[in-house]
Amino acid sequence: MSSNREIHLASRPQGWPTADNFRLVSTEVPSPGPGQIVVRNQFMSVDPYMRGRMNDVKSYVPPFALDAPLDGGAIGEVVAGEADGIRVGDTVLHGLGWREYALLDGRSARRVDPDVAPVSAYLSVLGMTGLTAYAGLLDVAAMQPGETVFVSGAAGAVGSMVGQIAKLKGAGRVVGSAGSPAKVERLTALGFDAAFDYHDGPVRDALKAAAPDGVDVYFDNVGGEHLEAAIGALKLHGRAAICGMIAQYNSAEPPAAPRNLALVIGKRLTLRGFLVGDHSGLRDQFVTEVGGWLREGRLSYDETIVDGLENAPEAFLGLLRGENLGKMLVRL
């Protein structure tokens, strides 16, 4: 444990990020102090929200610092140190990814059982990704049995969970959009009632064909044209859970608002943004219910795994390009 590697933010992207915005840096493995642990990371997550943190602007989470390691969800084995309830050899979930060895306060790590599920699952279906889908659909959008649900970015980590959870909770019809024929085929295999490739034409027209009677709930991962189409399709008192807007994260110019936003008034729509951290009170319920579905084989999840810390920037760029099926992870 003498050599460590980290990915630093070398410069702030202007529009789409490039490999030049990142730098691979060699450092020494940190030594733990009282109450601290050192974790050898096994998997790290790359997520769309990280693009916003690369800009030096005020947001709900501080921006990444230049010439310092990025961070994000990670899981690994404790190799040094000791903290309350955590010992060497334990597997822990924490927030200091983008590095091989992480030094952290034991209170900021959560011990997990690697015998219950593959460790990568704690960054996807049993982690923040799954809880985002669960809370957004059932708490934020308050989906009810028999309703029609539309999910954008439905082949991604969150979207694929939303569609399956909707079916398991009794949705009458679930529609998803994705970015390739292969992803559309995967959504059908996951139990979506209808799916379409948004490259094939206007989203509005494809959604009308897939949900001719309208939509009760929209789970938004994309924004832009998808949000505009959903507003047009939502029924009276329809609800939208606004999780992300990846379509505009790399735009250099401010996006135009949905041109039909005035429909929110007459339809009495609810468009509600949310952060998964606001719903941590649902975690135990979520783990119990989703864990049960996994054990019963009623819920599936996909992972796209890129090997090597040095390839983490390319994994992130691939995520923004839509190259992942399900959760994008880096194996260290």
Side-chain angles (χ1 to χ4, degrees), residues 189-248:
L190 289 175
F192 282 67
D193 297 290
F196 60 87
D197 184 343
Y198 61 82
H199 294 112
D200 288 344
V203 175
R204 176 194 60 209
D205 297 343
L207 181 56
K208 177 65 176 177
D213 297 325
V215 172
D216 299 286
V217 168
Y218 172 49
F219 195 104
D220 190 15
N221 293 302
V222 176
E225 183 186 3
H226 279 80
L227 178 56
E228 185 173 294
I231 290 172
L234 281 165
K235 301 176 186 178
L236 193 68
H237 298 296
R239 291 94 63 206
I242 312 298
C243 177
M245 294 190 177
I246 196 170
Q248 63 193 55

Side-chain angles (χ1 to χ4, degrees), residues 58-135:
K58 185 177 181 180
S59 183
Y60 62 88
V61 62
F64 292 126
L66 289 175
D67 301 314
L70 295 89
D71 58 58
I75 193 165
E77 180 183 352
V78 178
V79 295
E82 189 173 296
D84 288 343
I86 298 177
R87 300 292 182 267
V88 170
D90 286 347
T91 300
V92 296
L93 186 68
H94 61 91
L96 293 182
W98 295 86
R99 67 203 78 188
E100 290 174 330
Y101 290 90
L103 172 68
L104 57 148
D105 190 304
R107 292 171 296 184
S108 61
R110 181 163 64 90
R111 186 174 175 273
V112 299
D113 188 347
D115 294 327
V116 171
V119 294
S120 61
Y122 289 101
L123 291 172
S124 58
V125 63
L126 291 177
M128 182 181 72
T129 297
L131 182 57
T132 299
Y134 188 89

Side-chain angles (χ1 to χ4, degrees), residues 10-319:
S11 58
R12 300 201 183 278
Q14 302 299 317
W16 280 85
T18 69
D20 291 338
N21 297 126
F22 304 89
R23 182 182 299 118
L24 180 63
V25 176
S26 294
T27 65
E28 292 186 356
V29 175
S31 298
Q36 293 183 319
I37 55 174
V38 176
V39 179
R40 173 62 170 95
N41 286 332
Q42 297 167 317
F43 287 90
M44 55 163 275
S45 174
V46 291
D47 301 285
Y49 80 88
M50 294 175 176
R51 174 61 187 88
R53 294 190 65 192
M54 294 176 185
N55 299 329
D56 189 13
V57 295
K58 185 177 181 180
S59 183
Y60 62 88
V61 62
F64 292 126
L66 289 175
D67 301 314
L70 295 89
D71 58 58
I75 193 165
E77 180 183 352
V78 178
V79 295
E82 189 173 296
D84 288 343
I86 298 177
R87 300 292 182 267
V88 170
D90 286 347
T91 300
V92 296
L93 186 68
H94 61 91
L96 293 182
W98 295 86
R99 67 203 78 188
E100 290 174 330
Y101 290 90
L103 172 68
L104 57 148
D105 190 304
R107 292 171 296 184
S108 61
R110 181 163 64 90
R111 186 174 175 273
V112 299
D113 188 347
D115 294 327
V116 171
V119 294
S120 61
Y122 289 101
L123 291 172
S124 58
V125 63
L126 291 177
M128 182 181 72
T129 297
L131 182 57
T132 299
Y134 188 89
L137 179 69
L138 303 179
D139 194 20
V140 177
M143 189 213 84
Q144 300 299 311
E147 292 189 320
T148 296
V149 177
F150 171 44
V151 188
S152 60
V158 173
S160 59
M161 291 295 104
V162 172
Q164 292 182 84
I165 293 171
K167 293 298 292 184
L168 288 164
K169 285 292 191 177
R173 186 169 181 79
V174 177
V175 176
S177 73
S180 73
K183 289 182 177 181
V184 168
E185 183 177 351
R186 179 57 179 159
L187 293 181
T188 302
L190 289 175
F192 282 67
D193 297 290
F196 60 87
D197 184 343
Y198 61 82
H199 294 112
D200 288 344
V203 175
R204 176 194 60 209
D205 297 343
L207 181 56
K208 177 65 176 177
D213 297 325
V215 172
D216 299 286
V217 168
Y218 172 49
F219 195 104
D220 190 15
N221 293 302
V222 176
E225 183 186 3
H226 279 80
L227 178 56
E228 185 173 294
I231 290 172
L234 281 165
K235 301 176 186 178
L236 193 68
H237 298 296
R239 291 94 63 206
I242 312 298
C243 177
M245 294 190 177
I246 196 170
Q248 63 193 55
Y249 288 166
N250 298 305
S251 297
E253 299 296 329
R259 294 167 296 180
N260 59 351
L261 196 58
L263 291 177
V264 171
I265 303 168
K267 291 186 175 185
R268 282 81 108 193
L269 303 181
T270 299
L271 311 182
R272 182 180 167 192
F274 74 101
L275 300 178
V276 65
D278 296 336
H279 301 271
S280 56
L282 289 174
R283 180 174 295 280
D284 290 344
Q285 174 185 322
F286 153 73
V287 171
T288 298
E289 191 160 25
V290 172
W293 289 332
L294 284 172
R295 287 191 299 272
E296 296 163 5
R298 301 174 67 194
L299 189 147
S300 301
Y301 66 99
D302 295 310
E303 295 176 339
T304 300
I305 296 177
V306 174
D307 284 307
L309 177 69
E310 67 277 7
N311 295 317
E314 183 56 34
F316 176 70
L317 299 178
L319 172 75

